[in-house]
Amino acid sequence: MLNLFALNAPAGSGRPVTLPGIRSAPPARGALHLERRPLLACAAIEPEWNDLAARAVEPNPFFEPGFALPAAQHLVSFRDVSVLLVWQGRPGGPRRLLGFLPSSPGHRLFGTDMLTGWSDRRLGSAAPLIDGDEAGRVVEAVLGARGRWGGNARHSLLLPAIDREGPLAQALLGQAGTPGWVATLGAGRPSRPPPAEGGPDLAALRHGLSRHGELAFTEAGSRQELRDIVEMVLALEASGPLARAGTAALQDIRETAFLRAMTRNLARTRQCRAGLLTLDGEPVAGAILLGKGPRRWLYATAQDERFASFAPLAQLLAQLRRRSHIHQLIGAIAGQHAVTETLAQGELRLQRAPELRRGRRPVREGAFSQPRRAEAAG
């Protein structure tokens, strides 16, 4: 139903990464304090959350408020997600958010020695939000909370669905060792290279499709146009094979409510775009893209199967790439028309160095806390 793949820019150094267009904040100072919250309760810290997202070592719209809060509100699989928050400073005083790490509900923060990052089929990336200047300290604080997860045999952080060549993986691999923790990157699914110069012969396919009527391309230029195109994509999907299989988004009231709220929210920060290809005014292909800048995630697509031989979706995506100046469009579509690409993802495991686990207890920076019920309800 939804096409979800990760998109991250590569980094070539182990030093903290500064991404183009993201403000570099001064390094944080002071003790670090760890807090656990339900995902939905993080609405109370949305300003701090947004600020961290803007300076994260690896931007990830799937873990920003615009995506994550509607997911926690509407989708059952997101309701039990906990978030480990890493703060500079303590509650009641000035503090700054340095880490936002959603965790799997299958691994309780206080009942296991491994913290497993949250992943879901809807997430194009499961990279947590970590301050670009403080990645080492954040990991050290999480791994140094000895005795807080249960057993003492091992203290590990497992991050699934991480871009193997992305800024987060490269930064943490480069910083491991010196702070007293080690990092290993597991093998991931192979990447698909970017489309060859010129791509498929879309011009011929477009000419063939134009024989059936007048073709028109539309890209949302306003929030109202975005809402209209989102509804057309949902309707087009509901008229095809997914509807016959009972898996179209419009057949699930929660999925539909989430998609509508999420696209509206991300549109406010210009992180959601949508396009439509019509034939005599009727949609034959639609797409929803997430992210901003020259790289985007392909989130949802639909096409009229009656014209599948003309690859209307590939034609639409080629137009979107060209008109929106998208250098990388990450996702997958049916057929052999290479207008998108995929990146290799793998599991990143971080754990305390063996000598520190056997030796003296590491200095603990801060402590875990549970928000009050009233705060969580906010």
Side-chain angles (χ1 to χ4, degrees):
M1 176 169 58
L2 299 178
N3 296 314
L4 305 174
F5 290 87
L7 166 64
N8 299 294
S13 146
R15 297 188 299 273
V17 177
T18 300
L19 298 175
I22 293 183
R23 176 177 53 84
S24 180
R29 293 292 180 263
L32 301 188
H33 176 77
L34 276 63
E35 175 190 355
R36 174 191 174 189
R37 270 181 201 244
L39 178 57
L40 191 57
C42 292
I45 59 164
E46 190 169 346
E48 296 90 341
W49 185 0
N50 278 319
D51 182 61
L52 172 62
R55 51 188 161 82
V57 62
E58 184 166 313
N60 184 0
F62 298 96
F63 282 159
E64 291 194 23
F67 186 100
L69 290 178
Q73 180 181 2
H74 295 290
L75 301 176
V76 175
S77 60
F78 280 76
R79 288 185 177 175
D80 294 329
V81 176
S82 295
V83 180
L84 185 63
L85 303 171
V86 183
W87 298 92
Q88 175 208 358
R90 291 183 173 273
R95 59 179 184 168
R96 187 172 185 231
L97 187 62
L98 300 184
F100 183 94
L101 291 83
S103 63
S104 169
H107 298 267
R108 296 185 299 111
L109 290 176
F110 304 112
T112 179
D113 60 355
M114 178 183 289
L115 179 66
T116 302
W118 170 245
S119 185
D120 182 85
R121 65 179 178 83
R122 301 172 185 84
L123 303 180
S125 171
L129 302 176
I130 299 178
D131 186 291
D133 292 315
E134 299 293 338
R137 291 184 70 216
V138 168
V139 171
E140 192 173 6
V142 172
L143 297 179
R146 188 164 184 172
R148 292 289 178 171
W149 298 356
N152 293 322
R154 178 176 58 195
H155 300 273
S156 303
L157 172 61
L158 182 64
L159 302 177
I162 300 298
D163 178 14
R164 292 172 52 82
E165 298 180 354
L168 180 63
Q170 296 304 308
L172 295 181
L173 288 172
Q175 293 185 34
T178 303
W181 46 271
V182 295
T184 55
L185 185 59
R189 65 169 181 246
S191 62
R192 189 177 69 221
E197 186 68 26
D201 190 5
L202 294 180
L205 293 171
R206 182 178 179 84
H207 177 71
L209 184 57
S210 67
R211 293 180 177 180
H212 294 266
E214 182 180 355
L215 284 175
F217 167 80
T218 302
E219 183 175 12
S222 67
R223 294 181 189 175
Q224 182 59 53
E225 290 177 350
L226 178 85
R227 288 193 291 268
D228 292 343
I229 291 180
V230 167
E231 293 302 319
M232 292 180 189
V233 172
L234 288 172
L236 186 58
E237 182 194 63
S239 66
L242 291 180
R244 294 190 292 273
T247 56
L250 278 178
Q251 294 172 304
D252 186 332
I253 188 171
R254 296 185 186 278
E255 197 75 47
T256 304
F258 159 70
L259 186 61
R260 287 168 173 163
M262 178 269 291
T263 51
R264 287 197 306 268
N265 287 354
L266 290 181
R268 296 190 185 103
T269 55
R270 299 189 177 185
Q271 295 199 78
C272 180
R273 306 288 298 199
L276 201 67
L277 184 67
T278 61
L279 183 67
D280 284 341
E282 295 296 324
V284 291
I288 299 172
L289 312 181
L290 302 185
K292 60 182 176 181
R295 301 178 176 94
R296 309 286 173 91
W297 282 266
L298 178 59
Y299 185 79
T301 62
Q303 71 176 5
D304 190 329
E305 294 303 315
R306 295 176 300 171
F307 301 101
S309 60
F310 296 103
L313 181 56
Q315 294 189 42
L316 169 63
L317 294 177
Q319 290 274 4
L320 283 170
R321 288 194 68 152
R322 181 165 55 253
R323 296 197 183 190
S324 299
H325 306 290
I326 299 172
H327 292 191
Q328 286 184 308
L329 180 57
I330 308 304
I333 62 174
Q336 302 300 315
H337 306 288
V339 294
T340 61
E341 57 191 285
T342 61
L343 300 179
Q345 290 183 322
E347 290 185 342
L348 181 62
R349 183 187 295 269
L350 309 167
Q351 61 187 74
R352 300 292 297 178
E355 59 272 15
L356 288 184
R357 293 203 303 270
R358 291 193 300 265
R360 63 181 179 84
R361 180 173 179 168
V363 177
R364 219 176 82 217
E365 299 190 49
F368 285 93
S369 70
Q370 288 278 11
R372 297 192 304 271
R373 287 184 179 271
E375 182 180 359

